[in-house]
Amino acid sequence: GEEKPQKIAAWEEGVPFGIGHLSRLLYFTNGITGILRYPDGQSTTLRAAPTAGGLFPTEIYIAVRSVSYLTDGIYNFQVRDHSLILVWEGDYWSAFQKYCMGHEAIAQSHLLVILTAIYQRSTWRYSERGYRRILLDTGHVLGNLTAYAPQEGFTPYPVGGFLDASLNSLLLLDPMEEGV
């Protein structure tokens, strides 16, 4: 049978940051902060970051290296159950540095937060204007990340200069469906 992605359930504290720090960073960046229940039985999740039309197009991936409680690799943050799923195991740092044009912040870090957008989540409702909503929504997520990160001892350094197609390829994204 097919091997299921590794789901992280229990962690030990490690260097340079603990799992609690990372967990809270992801929660306050775009985690589920509440659930609205309607009389008809339906419910809506509330997130730390606002979104146009409740569509939440922004996905969070993290890349880690040299962290004792996580295998080096790229993980997807699963918002619904506040977990990480190992998507690609390995050391991708040289590729990230290359595709971010040698930015020194990449070289000095042990954690990268990569924001992507799943286009269909917005374009089904907003058509060609969905891209604008995606940029606004992702900006809110990035704002939460940079505002909250220092509370957990992280030094955020947003890097906006990167090679889109190369990072999409590294993450094995279909650029017609999802992109960095």
Side-chain angles (χ1 to χ4, degrees), residues 159-176:
V159 176
F162 52 85
L163 303 172
D164 300 44
S166 298
L167 282 179
N168 286 340
S169 179
L170 177 65
L171 296 173
L172 301 176
L173 304 178
D174 177 343
M176 299 304 292

Side-chain angles (χ1 to χ4, degrees), residues 139-153:
H140 290 302
V141 172
L142 180 60
N144 282 356
L145 176 71
T146 58
Y148 183 74
Q151 297 297 311
E152 295 298 335

